[in-house]
Amino acid sequence: MGYRSELESRLAKKTTKAIVDYQMLENGDRVMVGLSGGKDSWALLQILDVLRQRAPIRFTLIAVNVDSGYKEYKHELITSTCKARGWEYRIEHTAIGDVMDDLLEANATPCSLCARLRRGVLYRIATEVGATKIALGHHLDDFIETLLLNLFFAGALKAMPARLVSDNGQHVVIRPLVYVEEAEARQYAKARELPIIGCCCPACGDLSLQRQRVKRLILDLEQEHAGVKQSMLKALGNVMPRHLLDTRLNPSGELRDSVALRLEDEAAPQLLQIRQ
């Protein structure tokens, strides 16, 4: 069975590479896909379904949508789309939208709090449906934007893991689109005629000024120097702890310059001859 297009083939290869590199899936897995209705989660569900039919291992999919409770939200469109494509699905209706104002701190962005609340719901449902993996639609751009946001505004050198075990050890979260760019996910969702559904939150699409600035920065850099995004993603997997300032990684007195020591060892015989 061939792929429908060159775009689908490219996404399938990138997603497969991520699954293999980070050991995301095992034979017999039941994968719960967090389906928000946005382009990224639709693209993830669709490409995983394509891979499911071709993979050498057996795994099943169930799409789960966490409805935050906004009246205008088109959850019936998610229902009809999943039914038409033969995808198992579940829609969980919640009152997250109603409690946001009570929990949100002053000047905080609602998206981060909403994401945490929805994640808690996904964990609960994962247990109820017997899911062994929870797949989220974060893509390459999300990884590097998070890296820069933490670097510039949070004083932390971190992004997000491609595979994460929850603190209680009961859930495994995977992000199979780590090698897929946002533009590719958008093109793929459009090509497969998947309906893009907004969450209907009043703040939806109102990104923080910091994230907007980081998006523009990366876009400008990529236009000037093609390959910058790929280089940044590669850097996330090419960490050199001894060249950082975290004393938890480099306890005082234990810093060693391996290159200098190696060169000294190699030069020792010549130095000895000179002294003699």
Side-chain angles (χ1 to χ4, degrees):
M1 181 178 64
Y3 294 109
R4 287 173 174 250
S5 64
E6 188 278 331
L7 174 62
E8 183 169 270
S9 175
R10 187 167 71 248
L11 261 66
K13 290 178 182 177
K14 289 185 176 184
T15 305
T16 299
K17 177 173 171 53
I19 290 172
V20 172
D21 286 352
Y22 297 100
Q23 302 177 7
M24 294 184 181
L25 295 182
E26 300 171 280
N27 190 50
D29 267 339
R30 179 161 170 77
V31 183
M32 189 181 86
V33 179
L35 181 61
S36 68
K39 64 184 188 310
D40 307 324
S41 59
W42 276 124
L44 173 62
L45 178 59
Q46 180 67 71
I47 200 63
L48 285 179
D49 189 45
V50 169
L51 294 177
R52 178 188 62 80
Q53 301 173 53
R54 305 168 61 96
I57 62 172
R58 192 184 136 274
F59 64 91
T60 59
L61 298 171
I62 176 172
V64 172
N65 170 260
V66 178
D67 174 14
S68 296
Y70 297 109
K71 294 181 179 179
E72 300 83 4
Y73 185 72
K74 300 179 181 179
H75 49 76
E76 71 282 354
L77 190 50
I78 287 182
T79 297
S80 61
T81 301
C82 289
K83 282 184 176 180
R85 305 203 180 202
W87 292 333
E88 184 181 357
Y89 72 95
R90 171 171 168 174
I91 296 179
E92 185 74 5
H93 299 284
T94 73
I96 288 177
D98 292 336
V99 302
M100 287 289 291
D101 290 339
D102 295 333
L103 298 177
L104 194 64
E105 297 178 1
N107 300 320
T109 55
C111 294
S112 59
L113 174 58
C114 182
R116 291 198 299 273
L117 294 174
R118 291 157 67 94
R119 183 75 57 83
V121 176
L122 286 177
Y123 281 168
R124 172 175 59 81
I125 297 176
T127 299
E128 294 176 2
V129 302
T132 56
K133 302 288 169 59
I134 302 172
L136 303 180
H138 297 111
H139 45 64
L140 183 154
D141 295 68
D142 288 323
F143 277 76
I144 61 177
E145 287 170 13
T146 302
L147 171 67
L148 293 187
L149 282 167
N150 283 316
L151 179 66
F152 294 156
F153 305 110
L157 193 56
K158 66 177 182 177
M160 60 179 77
R163 184 181 187 276
L164 171 70
V165 179
S166 63
D167 290 342
N168 61 11
Q170 296 180 0
H171 305 288
V172 179
V173 176
I174 60 174
R175 297 179 170 95
L177 299 185
V178 57
Y179 296 145
V180 175
E181 295 190 26
E182 181 177 16
E184 293 176 311
R186 181 185 299 109
Q187 293 168 8
Y188 186 56
K190 181 178 180 180
R192 294 305 304 262
E193 298 180 336
L194 293 162
I196 309 305
I197 305 169
C199 71
C200 296
C201 170
C204 183
D206 183 20
L207 299 177
S208 67
L209 293 177
Q210 291 93 336
R211 184 169 287 276
Q212 290 181 30
R213 180 68 184 94
V214 165
K215 276 185 171 291
R216 289 196 302 270
L217 173 62
I218 295 173
L219 177 61
D220 291 343
L221 286 172
E222 185 68 25
Q223 290 176 340
E224 295 175 12
H225 307 283
V228 162
K229 290 200 293 186
Q230 290 296 331
S231 180
M232 292 176 64
L233 185 71
K234 182 179 179 181
L236 286 173
N238 188 27
V239 179
M240 300 181 182
R242 296 190 323 108
H243 292 256
L244 300 176
L245 301 180
D246 194 329
T247 55
R248 293 169 298 181
L249 300 175
N250 297 315
S252 178
E254 294 185 12
L255 291 176
R256 295 168 58 85
D257 190 336
S258 60
V259 175
L261 290 173
R262 178 174 56 80
L263 292 175
E264 181 180 350
D265 291 341
E266 292 174 353
Q270 289 83 355
L271 292 173
L272 180 59
Q273 290 178 1
I274 292 173
R275 286 197 294 267
Q276 292 175 344

